[in-house]
Amino acid sequence: MKKIIFSMILCAVAFAAKAQVESIDFKSNFRDDFGVGVGISAALGDEFEFSPSANIYFWDCGTHFDFEADFHYKIDLGHKFTLYPIAGGVLCYSNLKDGHTCPHHPHPLPHEDKYYDGKTNFGVNIGCGIKYDINAKIAGFAETKYQWVNEDYLDYERAYLSLGIKIAI
């Protein structure tokens, strides 16, 4: 299992190294909570794009991070608009305070057993986004994603909206 994971990481690094970084992305995420994120967009030829990002959500019961790695297939709509389907993976990291029942997290019981100190889960993203080129260096974008995350005893899913800006480098 370790060899498979290590091989996948090496493939992802080689894949990303070949890609050309086009922009730095800043976004706000609207779910049943609010988060902010930063990422990059890297061209993989003319039609594909790799877009890893890191998102943080501040909860009253702790902190939650999402590390996403999404692939986009760019469809030029003309008039400065680009539509793109999204497929990718997500690594979720939660660090929740002891003794709190968290309304944002699907764990139904108070977190008294330190079970969620550094708890990590994997999931997938699918969705769609649209980008509008404001000028040659700045573009605005909106994405909607459906996220499914695998928990030890419970799977949870959610849909959310991201609004952001891309700054070309």
Side-chain angles (χ1 to χ4, degrees), residues 83-123:
L83 179 72
Y84 52 93
I86 300 168
V90 61
L91 176 102
C92 300
Y93 174 85
S94 296
N95 192 357
L96 306 178
K97 296 176 186 174
D98 291 342
H100 286 78
T101 301
C102 188
H104 304 292
H105 199 273
H107 192 283
L109 304 172
H111 309 291
E112 295 178 3
D113 59 357
K114 296 248 179 219
Y115 179 73
Y116 276 91
D117 278 353
K119 180 70 178 163
T120 303
N121 296 300
F122 294 98

Side-chain angles (χ1 to χ4, degrees), residues 17-18 66 75 97 131 164 168:
K18 183 164 177 29
D66 281 353
I75 302 167
K97 296 176 186 174
K131 178 180 81 158

Side-chain angles (χ1 to χ4, degrees), residues 47-162:
E47 297 173 344
F48 290 96
E49 184 174 68
F50 177 59
S51 184
S53 65
N55 306 290
I56 186 168
Y57 300 88
F58 298 103
W59 297 341
D60 57 348
C61 57
T63 308
H64 179 83
F65 296 94
D66 281 353
F67 300 99
E68 300 178 334
D70 294 332
F71 290 93
H72 304 164
Y73 177 74
K74 300 185 288 187
I75 302 167
D76 185 17
L77 299 177
H79 304 291
K80 300 183 179 183
F81 283 97
T82 304
L83 179 72
Y84 52 93
I86 300 168
V90 61
L91 176 102
C92 300
Y93 174 85
S94 296
N95 192 357
L96 306 178
K97 296 176 186 174
D98 291 342
H100 286 78
T101 301
C102 188
H104 304 292
H105 199 273
H107 192 283
L109 304 172
H111 309 291
E112 295 178 3
D113 59 357
K114 296 248 179 219
Y115 179 73
Y116 276 91
D117 278 353
K119 180 70 178 163
T120 303
N121 296 300
F122 294 98
V124 295
N125 291 330
I126 58 169
C128 188
I130 191 161
K131 178 180 81 158
Y132 176 73
D133 295 324
I134 297 169
N135 59 35
K137 293 280 189 184
I138 299 174
F141 68 92
E143 297 176 347
T144 183
K145 293 182 190 177
Y146 174 80
Q147 187 177 76
W148 174 82
V149 177
N150 183 17
E151 186 82 31
D152 289 339
Y153 66 95
L154 168 72
D155 295 332
Y156 65 98
E157 63 251 4
R158 62 181 64 146
Y160 67 96
L161 173 71
S162 296

